[in-house]
Amino acid sequence: AAGVIQSPRHLIKEKRETATLKCYPIPRHDTVYWYQQGPGQDPQFLISFYEKMQSDKGSIPDRFSAQQFSDYHSELNMSSLELGDSALYFCASSLARESNTEAFFGQGTRLTVV
Amino acid sequence: GDSVTQMEGPVTLSEEAFLTINCTYTATGYPSLFWYVQYPGEGLQLLLKATKADDKGSNKGFEATYRKETTSFHLEKGSVQVSDSAVYFCALIPTRNSGNTPLVFGKGTRLSVIA
C-alpha cells in the first residue's frame, strides 16, 4: 500500500539559509500535518492543511511557511535557518471524512543546520 | 488544553518480561486514543487505537484499554522481545466536530529489551 512520502530524507543547511521539505500524502487523503521532533523529544505539531486550506496552526515559527497544492502534496518552507531548527520533520496524512481516524506518518526529513 | 502524560523512560526489560507503559490524558469529552511506535531511525507507526470508553486496542501482542473513569490508556504486553525496543508514544485526538484534528503526543517512553 502507498504510504506518505517525504523528500529529501536528509538535508544539511547552513545558518541563515533556506530549506524546502516536501510531502506526498497517501492517495485520496485530504489532510496533511507537519510535525517537528527535536532530539529525544515528542513530535510538536506545526501546521495542517485540509483541502488545500490551512486547517490548524501549532507552534510554527514565523520564519516557516507551508502550503498544500492542487495535487494535495505539501511543502514546508523554512527561512533564516537557526541551529535550533535541527530536527526530524514529519509529515502525516489522514482522511478527514473518517472522524477521529489516525494519521499516517512518513519516514521524516532529518534537517541538520550547521 | 488537551494533554497526554506518559511514564518517563528509559525502561529496560529482559526478554519475555511483562511490559506496562502508563499513559493518562486530560481532555474534554471523549477523545480518541492511540499508541504510536518509533523504531530507531524510522517514522511513527500506529500500534493500536481505541475510539470510545472501554474499547480495547490490540496489535502484535500489545494491548491498551480506554478507561474513561481513570482517564488512562496504559500499554501492556505479556512477553517482550528484543525487536520491541523502540520509543512508544501515547497520543490523543481531541473531541471536535471535524475529522482532521491534529494528534497531541505524550513525551514518549524509550523501551530497551535485552536478551
Side-chain angles (χ1 to χ4, degrees):
Chain A
V4 177
I5 306 297
Q6 290 188 246
S7 67
R9 289 293 309 276
H10 302 272
L11 191 58
I12 300 175
K13 290 286 186 178
E14 295 188 354
K15 283 192 304 184
R16 293 180 288 278
E17 283 192 318
T18 61
T20 297
L21 278 54
K22 296 186 178 182
C23 169
Y24 297 85
I26 292 173
R28 298 195 311 280
H29 279 194
D30 51 22
T31 303
V32 166
Y33 312 83
W34 285 98
Y35 286 83
Q36 177 191 57
Q37 186 181 29
Q41 303 295 312
D42 57 303
Q44 294 293 312
F45 171 67
L46 295 178
I47 195 167
S48 63
F49 292 87
Y50 168 66
E51 287 292 345
K52 293 155 279 185
M53 299 287 289
Q54 182 179 309
S55 176
D56 278 279
K57 194 171 184 180
S59 54
I60 185 169
D62 292 340
R63 299 177 290 108
F64 294 6
S65 65
Q67 57 182 323
Q68 187 178 30
F69 295 86
S70 58
D71 63 352
Y72 291 93
H73 93 274
S74 178
E75 295 184 3
L76 178 66
N77 299 293
M78 311 159 72
S79 63
S80 303
L81 287 169
E82 301 173 356
L83 296 178
D85 296 328
S86 296
L88 199 52
Y89 290 83
F90 286 111
C91 172
S93 73
S94 70
L95 187 59
R97 278 196 301 278
E98 295 180 5
S99 182
N100 290 331
T101 187
E102 66 270 23
F104 294 84
F105 285 78
Q107 295 280 66
T109 294
R110 183 170 296 283
L111 172 66
T112 303
V113 182
V114 297
Chain B
D2 302 302
S3 65
V4 175
T5 303
Q6 292 181 234
M7 62 185 287
E8 289 191 20
V11 174
T12 302
L13 295 174
S14 297
E15 210 165 20
E16 299 182 4
F18 185 85
L19 168 71
T20 299
I21 300 178
N22 290 337
C23 170
T24 58
Y25 67 89
T26 301
T28 56
Y30 293 87
S32 292
L33 303 174
F34 304 83
W35 277 100
Y36 278 82
V37 58
Q38 186 174 29
Y39 297 102
E42 296 189 12
L44 294 155
Q45 300 175 27
L46 177 68
L47 183 59
L48 52 85
K49 69 176 183 179
T51 58
K52 60 183 187 295
D54 299 325
D55 264 4
K56 177 187 281 188
S58 61
N59 184 28
K60 299 181 182 179
F62 291 89
E63 291 183 344
T65 301
Y66 190 143
R67 301 289 188 198
K68 179 68 175 174
E69 63 276 13
T70 54
T71 62
S72 65
F73 194 53
H74 305 321
L75 182 68
E76 297 182 335
K77 186 175 185 182
S79 176
V80 294
Q81 305 300 313
V82 172
S83 57
D84 294 326
S85 298
V87 180
Y88 292 82
F89 291 94
C90 186
L92 66 81
I93 292 180
T95 305
R96 249 169 53 174
N97 291 332
S98 63
N100 55 356
T101 310
L103 285 156
V104 175
F105 285 94
K107 295 293 183 185
T109 303
R110 181 176 299 278
L111 170 67
S112 295
V113 180
I114 53 178

